[in-house]
Amino acid sequence: MGLFCNGFSLFVMVCSMAVVASGNFHQDFDLTWGDRRAKIFNGGQLLSLSLDKVSGSGFQSKKEYLFGRIDMQLKLVAGNSAGTVTAYYLSSQGPTHDEIDFEFLGNLSGDPYILHTNVFTQGKGNREQQFYLWFDPTRNFHTYSIIWNPQHIIFLVDSVPIRVFKNAESIGVPFPKSQPMRIYSSLWNADDWATRGGLVKTDWTKAPFNAYYRNFKANACTWSYGASSCGSKPSSAFSDGAWKTNELDAPSRRRLRWVQKYFMIYNYCTDLRRFPQGPPPECK
């Protein structure tokens, strides 16, 4: 952790330290819904969410963050997971909220999960990119990460970048940079749309469906009483090299191209039927 001081911005900032939290779920999260279907065990090192025909379940972080790197290991619902969605995301609150989404769309046994990503700014999303994964996400834990700084948002899977959303405020595209966000996750039934557009329904004879979480880590600026622990220059606060540069290095760019060439199955930027007048400005 690095100590740094700050000036004044829209809020009075404080001298503090960048928070590097390696998770204990009891300390870092609240179980928010599901009537005991969400559970923390192994001394706070493991969390599970469960879904049955009555209800799903979910949790949220105790802290709010404004910029940071968030890592979480997940093991997704195994077997016939059609109709289920495991959501893991950052979000602020209100009608003009910002949000950074991972959503894992379940499928029939033997068919791959779809990883659905989206970015909301000022309440507007519609920036979906979807991917198959290059492994079975139900057999072992894998790390899903979000790097969020004033220049870009990077989605990573096992430290492999799969998507970059750059700050394009210079051409009028809003970017999430002023609303602190909490971490949320939920396991819920979405069989009206999640699998093949809702054609495949949840098989409740396979319930309960369970997803597992471990090894949460936040190298991030926390937000409290209108002030960030990172002051007015968050990028300078972190020892993580990803915070010191605005661009991916050459090996990371190659991995990004590899994922987008072989595993991307939907990109809103190339959906001409959806955007007949041309793609949104950030795509150009």
Side-chain angles (χ1 to χ4, degrees):
M1 295 189 294
L3 183 66
F4 53 97
C5 293
N6 7 305
F8 290 85
S9 184
L10 293 177
F11 298 94
V12 177
M13 301 302 182
V14 295
C15 271
S16 187
M17 286 180 141
V19 173
V20 182
S22 288
N24 181 294
F25 285 109
H26 287 300
Q27 296 173 3
D28 297 324
F29 292 92
D30 292 318
L31 307 180
T32 48
W33 64 284
D35 191 24
R36 301 183 184 178
R37 290 173 178 83
K39 298 177 182 178
I40 298 173
F41 44 102
N42 284 11
Q45 299 305 303
L46 192 65
L47 186 152
S48 67
L49 294 182
S50 183
L51 164 68
D52 58 35
K53 199 167 185 178
V54 175
S55 178
S57 51
F59 64 89
Q60 70 180 46
S61 63
K62 295 178 185 291
K63 294 177 180 177
E64 293 180 294
Y65 302 94
L66 185 64
F67 306 126
R69 175 170 178 147
I70 307 296
D71 300 286
M72 184 84 80
Q73 290 192 330
L74 281 74
K75 184 163 71 170
L76 300 179
V77 174
N80 182 356
S81 58
T84 71
V85 172
T86 306
Y88 158 57
Y89 59 102
L90 292 166
S91 183
S92 60
Q93 297 297 307
T96 58
H97 76 292
D98 296 332
E99 188 172 320
I100 305 168
D101 286 347
F102 280 109
E103 290 187 304
F104 303 90
L105 312 185
N107 216 330
L108 295 168
S109 297
D111 290 340
Y113 263 83
I114 292 174
L115 172 51
H116 176 99
T117 66
N118 204 350
V119 177
F120 285 74
T121 58
Q122 299 180 11
K124 179 181 180 295
N126 300 322
R127 299 184 178 98
E128 301 90 347
Q129 290 183 359
Q130 295 183 335
F131 305 84
Y132 288 141
L133 295 166
W134 49 97
F135 52 82
D136 180 349
T138 72
R139 291 177 64 91
N140 296 295
F141 283 91
H142 292 270
T143 304
Y144 303 92
S145 308
I146 293 167
I147 292 174
W148 170 35
N149 70 23
Q151 290 78 39
H152 56 214
I153 296 163
I154 306 175
F155 296 76
L156 304 101
V157 177
D158 289 338
S159 295
V160 175
I162 65 168
R163 177 178 184 177
V164 177
F165 182 80
K166 294 186 177 182
N167 186 329
E169 289 179 304
S170 62
I171 56 172
V173 179
F175 186 83
K177 67 174 189 179
S178 60
Q179 299 188 62
M181 302 197 226
R182 294 187 193 274
I183 303 163
Y184 296 87
S185 190
S186 58
L187 174 57
W188 52 291
N189 178 45
D191 66 4
D192 56 334
W193 65 272
T195 306
R196 294 182 59 199
L199 294 177
V200 181
K201 300 300 183 182
T202 303
D203 181 356
W204 294 111
T205 68
K206 307 298 184 185
F209 304 98
N210 298 295
Y212 298 91
Y213 303 75
R214 72 180 188 188
N215 290 349
F216 163 70
K217 184 178 179 182
N219 186 2
C221 307
T222 58
W223 186 265
S224 181
Y225 302 106
S228 167
S229 65
C230 293
S232 58
K233 294 183 178 180
S235 296
S236 66
F238 296 90
S239 58
D240 188 332
W243 288 90
K244 296 182 179 180
T245 177
N246 294 342
E247 301 294 336
L248 295 172
D249 61 18
S252 295
R253 291 196 299 272
R254 287 194 295 270
R255 289 193 291 268
L256 176 66
R257 289 194 297 269
W258 172 74
V259 171
Q260 296 193 339
K261 180 177 180 180
Y262 293 107
F263 297 97
M264 180 185 282
I265 59 172
Y266 178 79
N267 182 3
Y268 77 107
C269 286
T270 59
D271 190 340
L272 298 181
R273 285 190 294 180
R274 186 176 175 188
F275 301 108
Q277 305 304 316
E282 70 268 20
C283 298
K284 297 174 183 176

